[in-house]
Amino acid sequence: MRKTTVFTDLKPLALAPIGRPVRIVEIVGGRGLRNRLAHMGLFPGTVVVVELREAHGPVVINRGGTRIGVGTGMARKILVQPDETHS
Amino acid sequence: MKPIPKGKSQRLRVLRVAIAGTPNSGKTTLFNTLTGTHQETGNWPGVTVEKKEGVFTVQDYRVQVVDLPGVYGLSAYTTDEQIARDYLLHEHPDAVIVVVDATNLTQGLLLVLQILQLRVPTIVALNMMDQAEQEGLEINIAELERFLGVPVVPIVAVKGRGIRQLKERLLETVGRVPPEPRIPVDPRFEEAQRRLVRLLQESPLAREVPLAWLAQRLLVEDPWALALVQKDPLYPQIRRVLNETLPQLRHHLGADLEVYLVEQAYALLHGLVQRVVRRRATLRKRLVFTQKVDRVLLSPWFGLPLFAVVMALTFEATFQLSAPLVDLIAHGFDLLAQLLRDLLAGTPVPAWLTSLLLDGVLSGVASVLTFVPPIFLLFGFIAFFENTGYMARVAFVMDRFMHALGISGKSFIPMVLGFGCNVPAIMATRTLESEKDRLITILVIPLMSCSARLPVYVLFASVFFPGREPLVVLSLYFLGIALALILIKVLQRVMFHQREPESFVMELPPYRMPYLRNILLYMWMRGRVFVKNAGTIILVASVVLWALASLPPGVEYAGPRSVLGWIGRMLAPLLKPAGFGFAEAAIALLTGVMAKELVVGTLGTLLAGGSVEGLQHALGQYFTPLSAYAFLVMTLIYVPCIATVAVIKQETGSWKWAAVEVAMTFSLGYFLAVLVYQVGRLVL
Ligand SMILES: Nc1nc2c(ncn2[C@@H]2O[C@H](COP(=O)(O)OP(=O)(O)OP(=O)(O)O)[C@@H](O)[C@H]2O)c(=O)[nH]1
Ligand SMILES: [Mg+2]
């Protein structure tokens, strides 16, 4: 039962709620992209907060005090879900 | 044997040192602080990535430094990473200085760990210590050194703090292969790695690359590493080990083993940072301030109009401030030319030589120098906005629009700078990460109407479209923009067969107050490169132009009997379909290649003997409003000025792209001018 709720909550970072912690679940993209994000400290499992977001535009996320701008294209490839442990 | 030179140089030993680090950690600032103005810029072979080299001396050593491109890791997915990895691996530098941003330790140390795996003598320059102190961070340097096993020197690159210690300890570092970093990984991974190392010990590769690292790269299936062992006689055995171990490792550790390794390193460093960094009940003020400002700057509703205003003011300030200097230079050279002409008149120096020296060389030097004030000032403004952190925000705001075009938001700034002057705009593309984006941006910048084209627009608009000048001028600006946008799409398809738009992740650094010294140095270094490289080409071109305009001997300068006049007459029929098929127009366009504003000057000389009112009158006899507009379209697009062509060559490192640009813009300009004229004739 729980699993279904989890998956309906899955959405791209580009559509994530502002100001609430979300957990990165999956990165849909090639090796280069996953690796690039990993070097910024963004792995599946990392919790981030969306600070700013424009509809269909780029996103600013906060990861433990570091602010990262994620471009429009990438924000669509990072899938997140609300993080219950932190809220 | 070569004789040993006598004197001091006898004792100077040469060391080769590389500066590595994450983007924006202050590598270039450190490089500048170390080398001062003893540096050269160029490109890494075959790519449009900037290479900076310089020298400094310490004790009895002459240290040659190279500034590597900023990278987050050494996986070599990007050109920058390939350059950095290849350099560290194959050039065997005597030491590498890894610049780490103290306010962002984890990320910097991640790179340090990866470089340590390459077993190059390493020293860490812990930069931005001033910032770290301001943010209330206390870093236990001794503990950090113990952990890494290499020297760690705190510095403030912008103020030159800690540089002496860095130099001293750099000498200690040379020749000392650092200990291998111990990143805890799953025993199964370690076992697979050991098996590969054992195998590889027999291979000739053992002498070229550190085996533990190579084994790791093989396990993450790095295409580069796989290609490296492909030629090895042991390849079948290596392949067998990989086939045996990988499915199991993936099953336990996740499908992407590379990400797994980075995550392990991150976890290790996270623990380390907790131990070595103490955050005093902090001043989080700056972060909060930055967040507040960003709320405004990063919203399209405020951010975009604000940027438009900022750029307008920047251009205005650039040209207001440089105008008196440019006038001074122009008048100074006129006076000088007059003086020399009078002086030489009384000597046996032949008239053609006088003319070569004065009309060719001297006026060439003058035209280089008149470029200098606006270009230096514009570089100054660019450096200011970049150093505050503002440019990163603009790139961010523009990203959604540029994304639709398939290009990153970072390309926007250089394009906008193109409205001021194409030359610094093209040099500003150096901040673009993606080489593809950079090349495409360089090629479309010349379509941005630079300020030198404005006088031509204004003159024609006032003669042929009185009362509607702004509309005409604006239409040309928009035509340029529209063409640039279309061209971006076309180039992506044709040159790169690119489907996926480029995107980015970038840190949004807190706003910082820039240092004047940094800005001045940036202005000086960039400006110097322009004068040296582009300046030479402009000079040569102006002598060639002089020769064309004054040969054969005795003809009137640029007159109908000169070579230039002859070329103009040859070209005139070609321009007929565009509505301005007469020699003077062709000649004006040819001289416009030197600098676009010369189109006006040349027309003035040829059609009206130099008088402005005369020219306005004369234009009416040669052009109709329609052909005048076609001529303006041509002026906008056909062939960038010679300085721009020179700078394209300089930035792409090859004449090929400069030639592509000339051919492309010429055909495009010609085609559109003809189109305007022919369609206009049918419609009107
Ligand atoms: N406060 C402070 N700022 C610094 C220091 N060192 C560099 N900066 C600033 O940090 C910014 C980035 O410096 P650069 O030297 O361009 O960094 P880089 O590593 O060469 O960057 P890339 O070439 O883009 O990878 C500039 O605005 C510098 O003025 C420092 O010690 N303290
Ligand atoms: Mg740099």
Side-chain angles (χ1 to χ4, degrees):
Chain A
M1 202 52 225
R2 172 133 196 280
K3 203 152 195 175
T4 39
T5 24
V6 167
F7 275 93
T8 45
D9 281 351
L10 203 61
K11 48 174 75 144
L13 193 60
L15 299 173
I18 296 176
R20 266 190 256 134
V22 290
R23 181 180 295 275
I24 298 176
V25 177
E26 203 186 329
I27 292 158
V28 190
R31 288 184 70 175
L33 176 65
R34 283 199 304 268
N35 188 55
R36 178 80 168 68
L37 291 171
H39 280 89
M40 303 286 288
L42 301 174
F43 310 96
T46 308
V47 174
V48 299
V49 176
V50 175
E51 242 183 48
L52 265 173
R53 175 167 68 75
E54 294 300 329
H56 311 294
V59 177
V60 181
I61 57 178
N62 191 322
R63 192 211 63 221
T66 305
R67 301 170 73 244
I68 299 169
V70 181
T72 312
M74 279 202 197
R76 292 177 189 169
K77 293 180 182 160
I78 302 175
L79 302 182
V80 298
Q81 68 182 38
D83 178 60
E84 290 96 18
T85 50
H86 284 69
S87 50
Chain B
M1 237 173 96
K2 266 200 207 153
I4 299 166
K6 289 225 168 70
K8 197 169 168 244
S9 61
Q10 181 188 334
R11 297 210 326 274
L12 283 185
R13 238 196 82 191
V14 173
L15 290 179
R16 283 163 50 253
V17 169
I19 299 182
T22 54
N24 251 316
S25 53
K27 293 176 299 301
T28 304
T29 311
L30 174 62
F31 176 83
N32 289 339
T33 308
L34 286 172
T35 61
T37 50
H38 302 280
Q39 44 173 278
E40 292 292 323
T41 48
N43 277 312
W44 292 89
V47 292
T48 45
V49 177
E50 182 181 39
K51 178 181 194 178
K52 296 181 104 185
E53 291 174 293
V55 283
F56 68 90
T57 48
V58 52
Q59 292 174 21
D60 295 336
Y61 293 91
R62 182 184 155 82
V63 185
Q64 297 174 347
V65 211
V66 52
D67 185 13
L68 295 178
V71 293
Y72 293 100
L74 296 175
S75 341
Y77 286 109
T78 64
T79 315
D80 287 355
E81 286 179 351
Q82 268 158 32
I83 292 170
R85 177 203 267 191
D86 286 350
Y87 190 89
L88 294 176
L89 215 51
H90 302 310
E91 299 289 321
H92 306 289
D94 292 300
V96 52
I97 303 175
V98 189
V99 182
V100 169
D101 177 352
T103 64
N104 197 350
L105 259 186
T106 319
Q107 214 169 69
L109 292 178
L110 191 64
L111 181 66
V112 174
L113 290 185
Q114 298 194 14
I115 289 177
L116 288 178
Q117 289 184 313
L118 298 184
R119 319 307 307 278
V120 194
T122 300
I123 178 170
V124 173
L126 197 57
N127 192 29
M128 313 247 184
M129 285 304 289
D130 55 334
Q131 218 68 58
E133 278 155 29
Q134 255 186 49
E135 286 174 24
L137 303 177
E138 269 173 34
I139 302 173
N140 184 340
I141 308 279
E143 174 79 23
L144 205 54
E145 278 192 347
R146 238 188 332 272
F147 177 87
L148 295 171
V150 299
V152 176
V153 184
I155 65 166
V156 181
V158 267
K159 292 185 195 150
R161 229 172 74 193
I163 300 301
R164 226 193 42 225
Q165 292 91 311
L166 183 70
K167 285 182 183 169
E168 279 163 12
R169 299 201 63 189
L170 175 66
L171 296 184
E172 288 171 28
T173 310
V174 171
R176 283 224 321 241
V177 177
E180 199 154 350
R182 308 186 53 84
I183 303 166
V185 290
D186 191 275
R188 283 166 288 209
F189 190 96
E190 274 183 345
E191 175 51 33
Q193 193 178 0
R194 268 199 301 273
R195 275 179 73 184
L196 284 173
V197 170
R198 272 199 302 274
L199 251 178
L200 287 163
Q201 258 152 8
E202 314 292 313
S203 150
L205 284 172
R207 263 170 289 131
E208 284 171 41
V209 281
L211 292 184
W213 180 75
L214 179 59
Q216 203 183 73
R217 295 315 298 169
L218 287 170
L219 285 170
V220 303
E221 291 184 289
D222 179 337
W224 173 87
L226 288 171
L228 194 66
V229 295
Q230 201 117 50
K231 287 163 267 161
D232 200 276
L234 293 166
Y235 183 67
Q237 281 126 292
I238 294 170
R239 192 68 258 180
R240 202 170 55 229
V241 176
L242 291 177
N243 289 344
E244 277 170 26
T245 52
L246 282 181
Q248 190 207 6
L249 290 178
R250 287 218 193 85
H251 176 74
H252 292 287
L253 308 176
D256 195 329
L257 291 174
E258 185 156 30
V259 169
Y260 165 76
L261 286 181
V262 177
E263 202 170 354
Q264 291 304 106
Y266 238 93
L268 176 72
L269 293 174
H270 192 71
L272 173 73
V273 169
Q274 300 264 304
R275 263 186 296 140
V276 300
V277 178
R278 268 196 27 222
R279 220 169 257 272
R280 266 186 281 119
T282 44
L283 297 139
R284 298 207 64 92
K285 263 206 292 211
R286 212 163 55 110
L287 181 62
V288 174
F289 169 77
T290 297
Q291 279 172 329
K292 274 198 189 129
V293 176
D294 273 352
R295 249 178 225 130
V296 179
L297 289 191
L298 293 183
S299 108
W301 305 115
F302 294 103
L304 286 183
L306 186 76
F307 180 64
V309 172
V310 167
M311 278 331 284
L313 288 178
T314 302
F315 290 145
E316 187 62 21
T318 301
F319 296 108
Q320 290 296 341
L321 290 173
S322 59
L325 275 172
V326 173
D327 279 352
L328 202 69
I329 292 170
H331 280 122
F333 271 90
D334 279 353
L335 272 178
L336 187 66
Q338 197 55 53
L339 204 77
L340 289 175
R341 208 178 295 277
D342 292 347
L343 261 176
L344 291 173
T347 63
V349 176
W352 67 266
L353 186 59
T354 310
S355 177
L356 167 64
L357 289 177
L358 300 181
D359 303 322
V361 178
L362 195 68
S363 82
V365 173
S367 68
V368 175
L369 287 183
T370 49
F371 266 111
V372 165
I375 285 182
F376 269 63
L377 275 167
L378 209 49
F379 279 138
F381 284 114
I382 297 171
F384 177 82
F385 292 127
E386 222 157 63
N387 284 1
T388 50
Y390 180 57
M391 287 304 198
R393 272 65 182 190
V394 175
F396 183 90
V397 176
M398 278 314 294
D399 189 60
R400 63 196 297 198
F401 303 98
M402 301 305 274
H403 178 81
L405 288 170
I407 198 165
S408 141
K410 290 189 177 178
S411 296
F412 181 69
I413 295 155
M415 283 172 66
V416 171
L417 291 172
F419 290 123
C421 175
N422 291 176
V423 171
I426 287 172
M427 289 172 82
T429 59
R430 290 183 188 186
T431 52
L432 298 184
E433 281 168 37
S434 145
E435 226 201 316
K436 285 186 231 161
D437 273 11
R438 181 160 185 226
L439 196 53
I440 290 177
T441 312
I442 287 177
L443 294 179
V444 303
I445 282 174
L447 292 170
M448 304 285 119
S449 274
C450 65
S451 57
R453 279 169 250 191
L454 193 57
V456 191
Y457 300 166
V458 169
L459 172 73
F460 277 78
S462 68
V463 172
F464 294 101
F465 307 96
R468 281 176 301 163
E469 290 102 329
L471 196 68
V472 170
V473 173
L474 272 182
S475 73
L476 290 162
Y477 274 80
F478 280 112
L479 177 64
I481 297 170
L483 286 174
L485 300 186
I486 295 170
L487 204 57
I488 288 175
K489 275 276 173 221
V490 173
L491 290 177
Q492 276 170 345
R493 286 289 155 81
V494 176
M495 283 171 23
F496 301 117
H497 313 289
Q498 185 182 335
R499 298 268 162 68
E500 285 265 307
E502 289 285 339
S503 196
F504 63 81
V505 267
M506 60 180 172
E507 212 143 298
L508 293 174
Y511 290 104
R512 292 185 171 134
M513 197 57 207
Y515 289 85
L516 186 63
R517 211 184 67 145
N518 248 3
I519 293 176
L520 292 180
L521 198 59
Y522 180 94
M523 268 167 84
W524 169 244
M525 293 319 302
R526 286 278 189 270
R528 199 184 69 155
V529 169
F530 166 75
V531 173
K532 235 176 74 180
N533 298 1
T536 319
I537 297 173
I538 296 174
L539 202 60
V540 170
S542 76
V543 172
V544 170
L545 189 69
W546 168 85
L548 293 178
S550 32
L551 293 176
V555 296
E556 184 196 346
Y557 189 78
R561 306 238 309 283
S562 66
V563 178
L564 195 63
W566 179 78
I567 296 176
R569 275 200 308 283
M570 299 299 291
L571 288 179
L574 189 70
L575 297 176
K576 206 163 168 58
F580 41 90
F582 48 94
E584 288 83 353
I587 296 171
L589 289 172
L590 278 174
T591 55
V593 173
M594 278 300 299
K596 293 250 171 149
E597 65 262 45
L598 284 186
V599 170
V600 174
T602 309
L603 284 174
T605 318
L606 295 180
L607 298 180
S611 100
V612 177
E613 287 96 81
L615 176 59
Q616 295 193 334
H617 181 72
L619 282 179
Q621 295 174 336
Y622 282 85
F623 290 92
T624 64
L626 181 61
S627 69
Y629 194 78
F631 186 75
L632 289 182
V633 169
M634 186 74 177
T635 306
L636 161 67
I637 307 165
Y638 91 103
V639 185
C641 73
I642 192 77
T644 306
V645 175
V647 97
I648 291 176
K649 189 255 160 187
Q650 170 190 311
E651 295 297 300
T652 58
S654 83
W655 281 108
K656 179 179 123 197
W657 292 115
V660 166
E661 179 72 8
V662 169
M664 188 174 74
T665 49
F666 183 79
S667 9
L668 194 61
Y670 179 67
F671 172 76
L672 283 174
V674 171
L675 191 73
V676 164
Y677 187 67
Q678 295 300 338
V679 172
R681 270 208 321 189
L682 288 177
V683 177
L684 299 179

